[in-house]
Amino acid sequence: MLALAPLRKDKDRLIVLMGNEDSKASHFIIAPDRRARPLNVVGTQVTVLASNDTTKSYGITLQQGDEGTGPPPHSHDWDEAFYVLKGAIRFHCAGEVHECAPGTLVHIPRGTVHEFHYGPGGGQMLEITGEKTLAAQMFAAVDAAIPSGPTDVSALLQVLAANGVSVAKPAT
């Protein structure tokens, strides 16, 4: 039997949960005007569309950044995929460089050292993270601990490590 659950407040957004009363997972719909506020993750604006806590398996974020911004080389214990929506985004994956235009899908297996930077005019992409991802919690932790402006690298490295992200040395 399908049941309509009451609206639930999930941080800054409302989620309508519907599904089988006996199932653990429910489907949900989040309208654009119900999205959580974008998180500031060292220059990239990250909107968590669905965390793995919500989906019970994967996460989805909408990310956008200005030209030249992006994360340092890093790896983590979850798969992720990016789908470029706007602009050009340069991905460095396992020592290879890829210039990615809108419509490009990039899959990065868990444990792969990678980084990306937004090209001229900035860019926008969807990120889909795999099972056991800590991405949404990591983005929220960075937003809470690292203010806008010059980055306290030591504090950033601590927040990333606490959330399953290992930062690698930049390629020379």
Side-chain angles (χ1 to χ4, degrees):
M1 171 179 209
L2 290 178
L4 176 61
L7 287 175
R8 180 179 86 178
K9 185 87 169 162
D10 184 6
K11 298 209 179 194
D12 296 325
R13 65 179 178 221
L14 293 175
I15 297 176
V16 178
L17 299 174
M18 296 182 72
N20 185 319
E21 291 176 33
D22 301 322
S23 72
K24 292 182 181 180
S26 298
H27 74 275
F28 57 89
I29 299 168
I30 302 171
D33 64 339
R34 300 289 188 205
R35 290 183 189 153
R37 72 168 178 82
L39 302 169
N40 180 20
V41 182
V42 192
T44 295
Q45 299 303 303
V46 178
T47 303
V48 177
L49 300 174
S51 70
N52 60 325
D53 287 339
T54 303
T55 67
K56 308 297 184 219
S57 61
Y58 61 90
I60 305 172
T61 65
L62 177 64
Q63 300 184 12
Q64 61 185 43
D66 294 332
E67 181 176 344
T69 62
H74 66 282
S75 64
H76 36 69
D77 194 29
W78 59 84
D79 295 341
E80 64 188 341
F82 296 92
Y83 184 77
V84 179
L85 299 170
K86 296 178 185 174
I89 303 173
R90 174 179 282 178
F91 279 85
H92 295 248
C93 304
E96 298 177 7
V97 178
H98 305 273
E99 298 290 338
C100 301
T104 303
L105 176 71
V106 177
H107 171 74
I108 302 171
R110 71 189 73 218
T112 303
V113 174
H114 62 286
E115 67 180 300
F116 61 83
H117 294 92
Y118 297 98
Q124 183 182 55
M125 60 188 170
L126 282 175
E127 175 200 37
I128 302 167
T129 55
E131 202 168 2
K132 299 181 183 176
T133 179
L134 299 177
Q137 110 184 11
M138 180 267 300
F139 292 139
V142 170
D143 178 72
I146 310 298
S148 296
T151 302
D152 179 341
V153 175
S154 177
L156 176 61
L157 292 174
Q158 288 178 351
V159 171
L160 294 176
N163 289 282
V165 177
S166 298
V167 175
K169 290 183 179 180
T172 54

